[in-house]
PDB file of all heavy atoms in Angstrom:
ATOM      1  N   THR N  43       0.810  -1.179   0.014  1.00  0.00           N
ATOM      2  CA  THR N  43      -0.014  -0.028   0.016  1.00  0.00           C
ATOM      3  C   THR N  43       0.900   1.198   0.023  1.00  0.00           C
ATOM      4  O   THR N  43       1.862   1.361   0.810  1.00  0.00           O
ATOM      5  CB  THR N  43      -0.864   0.002   1.215  1.00  0.00           C
ATOM      6  OG1 THR N  43      -1.704  -1.085   1.231  1.00  0.00           O
ATOM      7  CG2 THR N  43      -1.745   1.265   1.321  1.00  0.00           C
ATOM      8  N   VAL N  44       0.712   2.147  -0.877  1.00  0.00           N
ATOM      9  CA  VAL N  44       1.459   3.333  -1.041  1.00  0.00           C
ATOM     10  C   VAL N  44       0.481   4.540  -1.108  1.00  0.00           C
ATOM     11  O   VAL N  44      -0.115   4.759  -2.108  1.00  0.00           O
ATOM     12  CB  VAL N  44       2.328   3.268  -2.308  1.00  0.00           C
ATOM     13  CG1 VAL N  44       3.083   4.662  -2.373  1.00  0.00           C
ATOM     14  CG2 VAL N  44       3.332   2.137  -2.260  1.00  0.00           C
ATOM     15  N   ASP N  45       0.353   5.308  -0.047  1.00  0.00           N
ATOM     16  CA  ASP N  45      -0.545   6.431   0.078  1.00  0.00           C
ATOM     17  C   ASP N  45       0.256   7.718   0.382  1.00  0.00           C
ATOM     18  O   ASP N  45       1.196   7.656   1.191  1.00  0.00           O
ATOM     19  CB  ASP N  45      -1.568   6.214   1.312  1.00  0.00           C
ATOM     20  CG  ASP N  45      -2.617   5.146   0.879  1.00  0.00           C
ATOM     21  OD1 ASP N  45      -2.891   4.913  -0.268  1.00  0.00           O
ATOM     22  OD2 ASP N  45      -3.211   4.560   1.926  1.00  0.00           O
ATOM     23  N   ASP N  46      -0.175   8.730  -0.318  1.00  0.00           N
ATOM     24  CA  ASP N  46       0.468  10.020  -0.017  1.00  0.00           C
ATOM     25  C   ASP N  46       0.217  10.434   1.482  1.00  0.00           C
ATOM     26  O   ASP N  46      -0.881  10.263   1.990  1.00  0.00           O
ATOM     27  CB  ASP N  46      -0.088  11.126  -0.872  1.00  0.00           C
ATOM     28  CG  ASP N  46       0.785  12.365  -0.923  1.00  0.00           C
ATOM     29  OD1 ASP N  46       0.569  13.149   0.209  1.00  0.00           O
ATOM     30  OD2 ASP N  46       1.512  12.633  -1.779  1.00  0.00           O
ATOM     31  N   PRO N  47       1.207  10.836   2.251  1.00  0.00           N
ATOM     32  CA  PRO N  47       1.005  11.118   3.617  1.00  0.00           C
ATOM     33  C   PRO N  47       0.064  12.262   3.933  1.00  0.00           C
ATOM     34  O   PRO N  47      -0.425  12.450   4.921  1.00  0.00           O
ATOM     35  CB  PRO N  47       2.465  11.488   4.031  1.00  0.00           C
ATOM     36  CG  PRO N  47       3.228  11.901   2.892  1.00  0.00           C
ATOM     37  CD  PRO N  47       2.603  10.971   1.765  1.00  0.00           C
ATOM     38  N   ASN N  48      -0.267  13.137   2.811  1.00  0.00           N
ATOM     39  CA  ASN N  48      -1.127  14.273   3.002  1.00  0.00           C
ATOM     40  C   ASN N  48      -2.540  14.030   2.522  1.00  0.00           C
ATOM     41  O   ASN N  48      -3.381  14.832   2.502  1.00  0.00           O
ATOM     42  CB  ASN N  48      -0.602  15.496   2.196  1.00  0.00           C
ATOM     43  CG  ASN N  48       0.711  15.931   2.734  1.00  0.00           C
ATOM     44  OD1 ASN N  48       0.917  16.129   3.902  1.00  0.00           O
ATOM     45  ND2 ASN N  48       1.766  16.197   1.905  1.00  0.00           N
ATOM     46  N   GLN N  49      -2.769  12.651   2.260  1.00  0.00           N
ATOM     47  CA  GLN N  49      -4.193  12.380   1.771  1.00  0.00           C
ATOM     48  C   GLN N  49      -5.174  12.472   2.966  1.00  0.00           C
ATOM     49  O   GLN N  49      -4.934  12.454   4.117  1.00  0.00           O
ATOM     50  CB  GLN N  49      -4.185  10.843   1.314  1.00  0.00           C
ATOM     51  CG  GLN N  49      -4.125   9.819   2.419  1.00  0.00           C
ATOM     52  CD  GLN N  49      -4.297   8.435   1.868  1.00  0.00           C
ATOM     53  OE1 GLN N  49      -4.351   8.191   0.680  1.00  0.00           O
ATOM     54  NE2 GLN N  49      -4.503   7.567   2.844  1.00  0.00           N
ATOM     55  N   SER N  50      -6.434  12.639   2.448  1.00  0.00           N
ATOM     56  CA  SER N  50      -7.483  12.684   3.303  1.00  0.00           C
ATOM     57  C   SER N  50      -8.645  11.785   2.783  1.00  0.00           C
ATOM     58  O   SER N  50      -8.809  11.731   1.664  1.00  0.00           O
ATOM     59  CB  SER N  50      -8.148  14.114   3.479  1.00  0.00           C
ATOM     60  OG  SER N  50      -9.292  14.148   4.127  1.00  0.00           O
ATOM     61  N   PHE N  51      -9.291  11.009   3.770  1.00  0.00           N
ATOM     62  CA  PHE N  51     -10.342  10.202   3.257  1.00  0.00           C
ATOM     63  C   PHE N  51     -11.662  10.950   3.364  1.00  0.00           C
ATOM     64  O   PHE N  51     -12.713  10.328   3.032  1.00  0.00           O
ATOM     65  CB  PHE N  51     -10.391   8.918   4.189  1.00  0.00           C
ATOM     66  CG  PHE N  51      -9.355   7.917   3.802  1.00  0.00           C
ATOM     67  CD1 PHE N  51      -8.466   7.560   4.831  1.00  0.00           C
ATOM     68  CD2 PHE N  51      -9.076   7.446   2.555  1.00  0.00           C
ATOM     69  CE1 PHE N  51      -7.411   6.676   4.579  1.00  0.00           C
ATOM     70  CE2 PHE N  51      -8.078   6.548   2.305  1.00  0.00           C
ATOM     71  CZ  PHE N  51      -7.303   6.134   3.309  1.00  0.00           C
ATOM     72  N   THR N  52     -11.610  12.112   3.759  1.00  0.00           N
ATOM     73  CA  THR N  52     -12.836  12.993   3.858  1.00  0.00           C
ATOM     74  C   THR N  52     -12.555  14.055   2.775  1.00  0.00           C
ATOM     75  O   THR N  52     -11.603  14.786   2.794  1.00  0.00           O
ATOM     76  CB  THR N  52     -12.942  13.693   5.075  1.00  0.00           C
ATOM     77  OG1 THR N  52     -13.147  12.796   6.126  1.00  0.00           O
ATOM     78  CG2 THR N  52     -14.236  14.550   5.147  1.00  0.00           C
ATOM     79  N   SER N  53     -13.362  14.074   1.752  1.00  0.00           N
ATOM     80  CA  SER N  53     -13.056  15.009   0.522  1.00  0.00           C
ATOM     81  C   SER N  53     -14.363  15.680   0.046  1.00  0.00           C
ATOM     82  O   SER N  53     -15.434  15.186   0.171  1.00  0.00           O
ATOM     83  CB  SER N  53     -12.531  14.106  -0.533  1.00  0.00           C
ATOM     84  OG  SER N  53     -12.193  14.794  -1.663  1.00  0.00           O
ATOM     85  N   ALA N  54     -14.029  16.885  -0.407  1.00  0.00           N
ATOM     86  CA  ALA N  54     -15.085  17.698  -1.116  1.00  0.00           C
ATOM     87  C   ALA N  54     -15.470  17.064  -2.468  1.00  0.00           C
ATOM     88  O   ALA N  54     -16.412  17.338  -3.062  1.00  0.00           O
ATOM     89  CB  ALA N  54     -14.661  19.055  -1.389  1.00  0.00           C
ATOM     90  N   PHE N  55     -14.595  16.203  -3.029  1.00  0.00           N
ATOM     91  CA  PHE N  55     -14.734  15.467  -4.314  1.00  0.00           C
ATOM     92  C   PHE N  55     -15.311  14.070  -4.124  1.00  0.00           C
ATOM     93  O   PHE N  55     -15.294  13.580  -2.967  1.00  0.00           O
ATOM     94  CB  PHE N  55     -13.477  15.477  -5.031  1.00  0.00           C
ATOM     95  CG  PHE N  55     -12.807  16.729  -5.334  1.00  0.00           C
ATOM     96  CD1 PHE N  55     -11.904  17.421  -4.488  1.00  0.00           C
ATOM     97  CD2 PHE N  55     -13.145  17.460  -6.506  1.00  0.00           C
ATOM     98  CE1 PHE N  55     -11.361  18.562  -4.799  1.00  0.00           C
ATOM     99  CE2 PHE N  55     -12.529  18.720  -6.770  1.00  0.00           C
ATOM    100  CZ  PHE N  55     -11.733  19.348  -5.935  1.00  0.00           C
ATOM    101  N   THR N  56     -15.855  13.570  -5.125  1.00  0.00           N
ATOM    102  CA  THR N  56     -16.243  12.182  -5.193  1.00  0.00           C
ATOM    103  C   THR N  56     -15.121  11.256  -4.885  1.00  0.00           C
ATOM    104  O   THR N  56     -15.257  10.097  -4.296  1.00  0.00           O
ATOM    105  CB  THR N  56     -16.961  11.717  -6.413  1.00  0.00           C
ATOM    106  OG1 THR N  56     -16.035  11.924  -7.410  1.00  0.00           O
ATOM    107  CG2 THR N  56     -18.191  12.487  -6.635  1.00  0.00           C
ATOM    108  N   PHE N  57     -13.859  11.553  -5.240  1.00  0.00           N
ATOM    109  CA  PHE N  57     -12.734  10.848  -5.052  1.00  0.00           C
ATOM    110  C   PHE N  57     -12.070  11.289  -3.629  1.00  0.00           C
ATOM    111  O   PHE N  57     -12.014  12.408  -3.317  1.00  0.00           O
ATOM    112  CB  PHE N  57     -11.719  11.081  -6.127  1.00  0.00           C
ATOM    113  CG  PHE N  57     -10.304  10.682  -5.813  1.00  0.00           C
ATOM    114  CD1 PHE N  57      -9.914   9.392  -5.964  1.00  0.00           C
ATOM    115  CD2 PHE N  57      -9.384  11.624  -5.385  1.00  0.00           C
ATOM    116  CE1 PHE N  57      -8.724   9.001  -5.581  1.00  0.00           C
ATOM    117  CE2 PHE N  57      -8.140  11.227  -5.094  1.00  0.00           C
ATOM    118  CZ  PHE N  57      -7.735   9.954  -5.250  1.00  0.00           C
ATOM    119  N   ASN N  58     -11.475  10.277  -2.918  1.00  0.00           N
ATOM    120  CA  ASN N  58     -10.786  10.582  -1.748  1.00  0.00           C
ATOM    121  C   ASN N  58      -9.484   9.590  -1.782  1.00  0.00           C
ATOM    122  O   ASN N  58      -9.394   8.697  -2.611  1.00  0.00           O
ATOM    123  CB  ASN N  58     -11.498  10.448  -0.414  1.00  0.00           C
ATOM    124  CG  ASN N  58     -12.027   9.046  -0.185  1.00  0.00           C
ATOM    125  OD1 ASN N  58     -11.452   8.108  -0.780  1.00  0.00           O
ATOM    126  ND2 ASN N  58     -13.124   8.989   0.604  1.00  0.00           N
ATOM    127  N   GLY N  59      -8.612   9.824  -0.803  1.00  0.00           N
ATOM    128  CA  GLY N  59      -7.516   9.039  -0.594  1.00  0.00           C
ATOM    129  C   GLY N  59      -6.470   9.110  -1.772  1.00  0.00           C
ATOM    130  O   GLY N  59      -6.262  10.231  -2.303  1.00  0.00           O
ATOM    131  N   THR N  60      -5.796   8.028  -2.199  1.00  0.00           N
ATOM    132  CA  THR N  60      -4.691   8.042  -3.157  1.00  0.00           C
ATOM    133  C   THR N  60      -5.014   7.017  -4.246  1.00  0.00           C
ATOM    134  O   THR N  60      -5.434   5.916  -3.955  1.00  0.00           O
ATOM    135  CB  THR N  60      -3.364   7.727  -2.473  1.00  0.00           C
ATOM    136  OG1 THR N  60      -3.125   8.764  -1.454  1.00  0.00           O
ATOM    137  CG2 THR N  60      -2.209   7.654  -3.431  1.00  0.00           C
ATOM    138  N   THR N  61      -4.683   7.339  -5.499  1.00  0.00           N
ATOM    139  CA  THR N  61      -4.678   6.458  -6.673  1.00  0.00           C
ATOM    140  C   THR N  61      -3.442   6.508  -7.322  1.00  0.00           C
ATOM    141  O   THR N  61      -2.880   7.658  -7.561  1.00  0.00           O
ATOM    142  CB  THR N  61      -5.833   6.768  -7.476  1.00  0.00           C
ATOM    143  OG1 THR N  61      -7.084   6.491  -6.967  1.00  0.00           O
ATOM    144  CG2 THR N  61      -5.751   5.949  -8.916  1.00  0.00           C
ATOM    145  N   LEU N  62      -2.793   5.417  -7.679  1.00  0.00           N
ATOM    146  CA  LEU N  62      -1.480   5.385  -8.408  1.00  0.00           C
ATOM    147  C   LEU N  62      -1.867   5.033  -9.819  1.00  0.00           C
ATOM    148  O   LEU N  62      -2.528   4.000 -10.039  1.00  0.00           O
ATOM    149  CB  LEU N  62      -0.620   4.462  -7.758  1.00  0.00           C
ATOM    150  CG  LEU N  62      -0.167   4.767  -6.423  1.00  0.00           C
ATOM    151  CD1 LEU N  62       0.830   3.841  -5.798  1.00  0.00           C
ATOM    152  CD2 LEU N  62       0.247   6.183  -6.189  1.00  0.00           C
ATOM    153  N   ASN N  63      -1.263   5.697 -10.817  1.00  0.00           N
ATOM    154  CA  ASN N  63      -1.683   5.448 -12.179  1.00  0.00           C
ATOM    155  C   ASN N  63      -0.668   5.089 -13.211  1.00  0.00           C
ATOM    156  O   ASN N  63      -0.913   4.370 -14.281  1.00  0.00           O
ATOM    157  CB  ASN N  63      -2.410   6.734 -12.741  1.00  0.00           C
ATOM    158  CG  ASN N  63      -3.534   6.498 -13.767  1.00  0.00           C
ATOM    159  OD1 ASN N  63      -4.670   6.298 -13.379  1.00  0.00           O
ATOM    160  ND2 ASN N  63      -3.204   6.436 -15.018  1.00  0.00           N
ATOM    161  N   GLY N  64       0.618   5.379 -12.893  1.00  0.00           N
ATOM    162  CA  GLY N  64       1.675   5.090 -13.909  1.00  0.00           C
ATOM    163  C   GLY N  64       2.930   4.771 -13.028  1.00  0.00           C
ATOM    164  O   GLY N  64       3.212   5.298 -12.003  1.00  0.00           O
ATOM    165  N   ILE N  65       3.779   3.905 -13.600  1.00  0.00           N
ATOM    166  CA  ILE N  65       5.136   3.497 -13.139  1.00  0.00           C
ATOM    167  C   ILE N  65       6.154   3.284 -14.116  1.00  0.00           C
ATOM    168  O   ILE N  65       5.866   2.718 -15.204  1.00  0.00           O
ATOM    169  CB  ILE N  65       4.949   2.266 -12.154  1.00  0.00           C
ATOM    170  CG1 ILE N  65       6.287   1.948 -11.498  1.00  0.00           C
ATOM    171  CG2 ILE N  65       4.450   1.116 -12.987  1.00  0.00           C
ATOM    172  CD1 ILE N  65       6.132   0.906 -10.394  1.00  0.00           C
ATOM    173  N   ASN N  66       7.328   3.781 -13.947  1.00  0.00           N
ATOM    174  CA  ASN N  66       8.309   3.627 -14.984  1.00  0.00           C
ATOM    175  C   ASN N  66       9.312   2.560 -14.511  1.00  0.00           C
ATOM    176  O   ASN N  66       9.133   1.860 -13.419  1.00  0.00           O
ATOM    177  CB  ASN N  66       9.159   4.882 -15.299  1.00  0.00           C
ATOM    178  CG  ASN N  66       9.957   5.478 -14.091  1.00  0.00           C
ATOM    179  OD1 ASN N  66      10.167   4.834 -13.012  1.00  0.00           O
ATOM    180  ND2 ASN N  66      10.367   6.677 -14.284  1.00  0.00           N
ATOM    181  N   ASP N  67      10.432   2.209 -15.335  1.00  0.00           N
ATOM    182  CA  ASP N  67      11.288   1.040 -15.035  1.00  0.00           C
ATOM    183  C   ASP N  67      12.181   1.377 -13.844  1.00  0.00           C
ATOM    184  O   ASP N  67      12.836   0.408 -13.274  1.00  0.00           O
ATOM    185  CB  ASP N  67      12.041   0.716 -16.244  1.00  0.00           C
ATOM    186  CG  ASP N  67      11.179   0.155 -17.343  1.00  0.00           C
ATOM    187  OD1 ASP N  67      10.000  -0.278 -17.036  1.00  0.00           O
ATOM    188  OD2 ASP N  67      11.598   0.153 -18.513  1.00  0.00           O
ATOM    189  N   LEU N  68      12.238   2.654 -13.350  1.00  0.00           N
ATOM    190  CA  LEU N  68      13.089   3.007 -12.201  1.00  0.00           C
ATOM    191  C   LEU N  68      12.315   2.884 -10.927  1.00  0.00           C
ATOM    192  O   LEU N  68      12.796   3.133  -9.790  1.00  0.00           O
ATOM    193  CB  LEU N  68      13.630   4.398 -12.362  1.00  0.00           C
ATOM    194  CG  LEU N  68      14.338   4.711 -13.654  1.00  0.00           C
ATOM    195  CD1 LEU N  68      14.815   6.138 -13.835  1.00  0.00           C
ATOM    196  CD2 LEU N  68      15.578   3.756 -13.899  1.00  0.00           C
ATOM    197  N   GLY N  69      10.956   2.512 -10.951  1.00  0.00           N
ATOM    198  CA  GLY N  69      10.179   2.499  -9.791  1.00  0.00           C
ATOM    199  C   GLY N  69       9.481   3.857  -9.342  1.00  0.00           C
ATOM    200  O   GLY N  69       8.933   3.915  -8.394  1.00  0.00           O
ATOM    201  N   GLN N  70       9.721   4.862 -10.307  1.00  0.00           N
ATOM    202  CA  GLN N  70       8.971   6.093  -9.960  1.00  0.00           C
ATOM    203  C   GLN N  70       7.549   5.918 -10.267  1.00  0.00           C
ATOM    204  O   GLN N  70       7.161   5.499 -11.391  1.00  0.00           O
ATOM    205  CB  GLN N  70       9.564   7.199 -10.795  1.00  0.00           C
ATOM    206  CG  GLN N  70      10.966   7.608 -10.330  1.00  0.00           C
ATOM    207  CD  GLN N  70      11.651   8.651 -11.269  1.00  0.00           C
ATOM    208  OE1 GLN N  70      11.724   8.513 -12.382  1.00  0.00           O
ATOM    209  NE2 GLN N  70      11.896   9.846 -10.702  1.00  0.00           N
ATOM    210  N   VAL N  71       6.690   6.395  -9.319  1.00  0.00           N
ATOM    211  CA  VAL N  71       5.167   6.246  -9.567  1.00  0.00           C
ATOM    212  C   VAL N  71       4.540   7.620  -9.576  1.00  0.00           C
ATOM    213  O   VAL N  71       4.931   8.535  -8.840  1.00  0.00           O
ATOM    214  CB  VAL N  71       4.698   5.392  -8.342  1.00  0.00           C
ATOM    215  CG1 VAL N  71       3.203   5.155  -8.360  1.00  0.00           C
ATOM    216  CG2 VAL N  71       5.411   4.019  -8.304  1.00  0.00           C
ATOM    217  N   VAL N  72       3.485   7.758 -10.468  1.00  0.00           N
ATOM    218  CA  VAL N  72       2.661   8.942 -10.404  1.00  0.00           C
ATOM    219  C   VAL N  72       1.163   8.589 -10.171  1.00  0.00           C
ATOM    220  O   VAL N  72       0.817   7.465 -10.476  1.00  0.00           O
ATOM    221  CB  VAL N  72       2.872   9.722 -11.727  1.00  0.00           C
ATOM    222  CG1 VAL N  72       4.246  10.399 -11.861  1.00  0.00           C
ATOM    223  CG2 VAL N  72       2.560   8.818 -13.020  1.00  0.00           C
ATOM    224  N   GLY N  73       0.507   9.508  -9.682  1.00  0.00           N
ATOM    225  CA  GLY N  73      -0.905   9.359  -9.461  1.00  0.00           C
ATOM    226  C   GLY N  73      -1.505  10.645  -8.883  1.00  0.00           C
ATOM    227  O   GLY N  73      -1.012  11.803  -9.330  1.00  0.00           O
ATOM    228  N   PHE N  74      -2.420  10.509  -8.083  1.00  0.00           N
ATOM    229  CA  PHE N  74      -3.102  11.732  -7.416  1.00  0.00           C
ATOM    230  C   PHE N  74      -3.703  11.361  -6.183  1.00  0.00           C
ATOM    231  O   PHE N  74      -3.949  10.137  -5.753  1.00  0.00           O
ATOM    232  CB  PHE N  74      -4.118  12.255  -8.434  1.00  0.00           C
ATOM    233  CG  PHE N  74      -5.134  11.251  -8.920  1.00  0.00           C
ATOM    234  CD1 PHE N  74      -6.313  10.974  -8.366  1.00  0.00           C
ATOM    235  CD2 PHE N  74      -4.787  10.612 -10.068  1.00  0.00           C
ATOM    236  CE1 PHE N  74      -7.178  10.108  -8.900  1.00  0.00           C
ATOM    237  CE2 PHE N  74      -5.647   9.644 -10.600  1.00  0.00           C
ATOM    238  CZ  PHE N  74      -6.875   9.334  -9.998  1.00  0.00           C
ATOM    239  N   TYR N  75      -3.893  12.384  -5.233  1.00  0.00           N
ATOM    240  CA  TYR N  75      -4.536  12.153  -3.927  1.00  0.00           C
ATOM    241  C   TYR N  75      -5.366  13.360  -3.615  1.00  0.00           C
ATOM    242  O   TYR N  75      -5.184  14.424  -4.160  1.00  0.00           O
ATOM    243  CB  TYR N  75      -3.421  11.971  -2.815  1.00  0.00           C
ATOM    244  CG  TYR N  75      -2.629  13.298  -2.577  1.00  0.00           C
ATOM    245  CD1 TYR N  75      -2.954  14.141  -1.517  1.00  0.00           C
ATOM    246  CD2 TYR N  75      -1.509  13.608  -3.301  1.00  0.00           C
ATOM    247  CE1 TYR N  75      -2.286  15.169  -1.156  1.00  0.00           C
ATOM    248  CE2 TYR N  75      -0.788  14.758  -3.005  1.00  0.00           C
ATOM    249  CZ  TYR N  75      -1.193  15.562  -1.958  1.00  0.00           C
ATOM    250  OH  TYR N  75      -0.464  16.659  -1.701  1.00  0.00           O
ATOM    251  N   SER N  76      -6.277  13.169  -2.763  1.00  0.00           N
ATOM    252  CA  SER N  76      -7.106  14.334  -2.146  1.00  0.00           C
ATOM    253  C   SER N  76      -6.719  14.659  -0.851  1.00  0.00           C
ATOM    254  O   SER N  76      -6.484  13.785   0.009  1.00  0.00           O
ATOM    255  CB  SER N  76      -8.615  13.820  -2.166  1.00  0.00           C
ATOM    256  OG  SER N  76      -9.379  14.875  -1.534  1.00  0.00           O
ATOM    257  N   ASP N  77      -6.554  15.882  -0.624  1.00  0.00           N
ATOM    258  CA  ASP N  77      -6.074  16.409   0.719  1.00  0.00           C
ATOM    259  C   ASP N  77      -7.400  16.874   1.518  1.00  0.00           C
ATOM    260  O   ASP N  77      -7.191  17.441   2.545  1.00  0.00           O
ATOM    261  CB  ASP N  77      -5.090  17.496   0.723  1.00  0.00           C
ATOM    262  CG  ASP N  77      -5.500  18.688  -0.123  1.00  0.00           C
ATOM    263  OD1 ASP N  77      -6.683  18.905  -0.358  1.00  0.00           O
ATOM    264  OD2 ASP N  77      -4.629  19.612  -0.424  1.00  0.00           O
ATOM    265  N   GLY N  78      -8.524  16.604   0.961  1.00  0.00           N
ATOM    266  CA  GLY N  78      -9.778  17.104   1.563  1.00  0.00           C
ATOM    267  C   GLY N  78     -10.403  18.149   0.831  1.00  0.00           C
ATOM    268  O   GLY N  78     -11.775  18.146   0.683  1.00  0.00           O
ATOM    269  N   THR N  79      -9.609  19.113   0.240  1.00  0.00           N
ATOM    270  CA  THR N  79     -10.231  20.221  -0.468  1.00  0.00           C
ATOM    271  C   THR N  79      -9.727  20.247  -1.911  1.00  0.00           C
ATOM    272  O   THR N  79     -10.196  21.055  -2.763  1.00  0.00           O
ATOM    273  CB  THR N  79     -10.003  21.511   0.289  1.00  0.00           C
ATOM    274  OG1 THR N  79      -8.479  21.702   0.449  1.00  0.00           O
ATOM    275  CG2 THR N  79     -10.689  21.534   1.575  1.00  0.00           C
ATOM    276  N   HIS N  80      -8.546  19.652  -2.219  1.00  0.00           N
ATOM    277  CA  HIS N  80      -7.939  19.685  -3.487  1.00  0.00           C
ATOM    278  C   HIS N  80      -7.659  18.284  -3.932  1.00  0.00           C
ATOM    279  O   HIS N  80      -7.449  17.406  -3.101  1.00  0.00           O
ATOM    280  CB  HIS N  80      -6.633  20.436  -3.523  1.00  0.00           C
ATOM    281  CG  HIS N  80      -6.828  21.851  -2.830  1.00  0.00           C
ATOM    282  ND1 HIS N  80      -6.557  21.988  -1.474  1.00  0.00           N
ATOM    283  CD2 HIS N  80      -7.066  23.047  -3.390  1.00  0.00           C
ATOM    284  CE1 HIS N  80      -6.704  23.370  -1.230  1.00  0.00           C
ATOM    285  NE2 HIS N  80      -6.991  24.003  -2.418  1.00  0.00           N
ATOM    286  N   VAL N  81      -7.536  18.031  -5.316  1.00  0.00           N
ATOM    287  CA  VAL N  81      -7.042  16.830  -5.834  1.00  0.00           C
ATOM    288  C   VAL N  81      -5.662  17.144  -6.361  1.00  0.00           C
ATOM    289  O   VAL N  81      -5.475  18.014  -7.249  1.00  0.00           O
ATOM    290  CB  VAL N  81      -7.807  16.174  -6.874  1.00  0.00           C
ATOM    291  CG1 VAL N  81      -7.297  15.006  -7.530  1.00  0.00           C
ATOM    292  CG2 VAL N  81      -9.190  15.714  -6.275  1.00  0.00           C
ATOM    293  N   ASN N  82      -4.567  16.563  -5.931  1.00  0.00           N
ATOM    294  CA  ASN N  82      -3.183  16.960  -6.306  1.00  0.00           C
ATOM    295  C   ASN N  82      -2.465  15.849  -7.064  1.00  0.00           C
ATOM    296  O   ASN N  82      -2.745  14.673  -6.660  1.00  0.00           O
ATOM    297  CB  ASN N  82      -2.437  17.280  -5.012  1.00  0.00           C
ATOM    298  CG  ASN N  82      -3.111  18.257  -4.064  1.00  0.00           C
ATOM    299  OD1 ASN N  82      -3.062  19.513  -4.400  1.00  0.00           O
ATOM    300  ND2 ASN N  82      -3.825  17.874  -3.073  1.00  0.00           N
ATOM    301  N   GLY N  83      -1.693  16.251  -7.933  1.00  0.00           N
ATOM    302  CA  GLY N  83      -0.872  15.198  -8.691  1.00  0.00           C
ATOM    303  C   GLY N  83       0.326  14.863  -7.718  1.00  0.00           C
ATOM    304  O   GLY N  83       0.806  15.708  -6.889  1.00  0.00           O
ATOM    305  N   VAL N  84       0.807  13.615  -7.783  1.00  0.00           N
ATOM    306  CA  VAL N  84       1.812  13.187  -6.889  1.00  0.00           C
ATOM    307  C   VAL N  84       2.831  12.350  -7.547  1.00  0.00           C
ATOM    308  O   VAL N  84       2.550  11.576  -8.522  1.00  0.00           O
ATOM    309  CB  VAL N  84       1.301  12.323  -5.549  1.00  0.00           C
ATOM    310  CG1 VAL N  84       0.608  11.159  -6.070  1.00  0.00           C
ATOM    311  CG2 VAL N  84       2.464  12.005  -4.618  1.00  0.00           C
ATOM    312  N   LEU N  85       4.116  12.535  -7.335  1.00  0.00           N
ATOM    313  CA  LEU N  85       5.193  11.751  -7.848  1.00  0.00           C
ATOM    314  C   LEU N  85       5.892  11.014  -6.643  1.00  0.00           C
ATOM    315  O   LEU N  85       6.291  11.775  -5.656  1.00  0.00           O
ATOM    316  CB  LEU N  85       6.246  12.609  -8.491  1.00  0.00           C
ATOM    317  CG  LEU N  85       7.667  11.943  -8.838  1.00  0.00           C
ATOM    318  CD1 LEU N  85       7.447  10.777  -9.720  1.00  0.00           C
ATOM    319  CD2 LEU N  85       8.609  13.025  -9.394  1.00  0.00           C
ATOM    320  N   ALA N  86       5.909   9.762  -6.634  1.00  0.00           N
ATOM    321  CA  ALA N  86       6.428   8.922  -5.545  1.00  0.00           C
ATOM    322  C   ALA N  86       7.638   8.280  -5.995  1.00  0.00           C
ATOM    323  O   ALA N  86       7.582   7.457  -6.979  1.00  0.00           O
ATOM    324  CB  ALA N  86       5.448   7.994  -4.970  1.00  0.00           C
ATOM    325  N   THR N  87       8.824   8.425  -5.323  1.00  0.00           N
ATOM    326  CA  THR N  87       9.995   7.817  -5.789  1.00  0.00           C
ATOM    327  C   THR N  87      10.441   6.775  -4.690  1.00  0.00           C
ATOM    328  O   THR N  87      10.489   7.066  -3.582  1.00  0.00           O
ATOM    329  CB  THR N  87      11.084   8.854  -5.937  1.00  0.00           C
ATOM    330  OG1 THR N  87      10.798   9.762  -6.785  1.00  0.00           O
ATOM    331  CG2 THR N  87      12.529   8.192  -6.306  1.00  0.00           C
ATOM    332  N   ALA N  88      10.682   5.468  -5.154  1.00  0.00           N
ATOM    333  CA  ALA N  88      10.943   4.439  -4.284  1.00  0.00           C
ATOM    334  C   ALA N  88      12.372   4.355  -3.861  1.00  0.00           C
ATOM    335  O   ALA N  88      13.334   4.503  -4.706  1.00  0.00           O
ATOM    336  CB  ALA N  88      10.509   3.060  -4.886  1.00  0.00           C
ATOM    337  N   THR N  89      12.605   4.050  -2.623  1.00  0.00           N
ATOM    338  CA  THR N  89      14.007   3.760  -2.104  1.00  0.00           C
ATOM    339  C   THR N  89      13.922   2.563  -1.364  1.00  0.00           C
ATOM    340  O   THR N  89      13.223   2.328  -0.344  1.00  0.00           O
ATOM    341  CB  THR N  89      14.410   4.924  -1.208  1.00  0.00           C
ATOM    342  OG1 THR N  89      14.335   6.140  -1.962  1.00  0.00           O
ATOM    343  CG2 THR N  89      15.817   4.617  -0.716  1.00  0.00           C
TER     344      THR N  89
END
C-alpha cells in the first residue's frame, strides 16, 4: 500500500485517498490524492 502522507479520506470531491496510475522502470510512480479540499498530482520515488 502506497498512500500520499497528506491524503484525506474526507473529501469535497467524489474521490478521496490516493490512486496510483503510472510507473516507470526505475520504480517512480505517479498518481493523485485528495487532501480534503484539492486533488493533487503526486510523484512517488521508491527507495
Side-chain angles (χ1 to χ4, degrees):
T43 299
V44 179
D45 288 336
D46 190 283
N48 296 310
Q49 74 173 9
S50 171
F51 289 122
T52 302
S53 175
F55 298 90
T56 55
F57 162 81
N58 63 22
T60 300
T61 292
L62 304 181
N63 212 86
I65 182 169
N66 66 14
D67 297 337
L68 306 178
Q70 293 176 299
V71 180
V72 292
F74 49 94
Y75 71 95
S76 171
D77 61 13
T79 56
H80 311 87
V81 172
N82 306 281
V84 61
L85 167 63
T87 302
T89 303

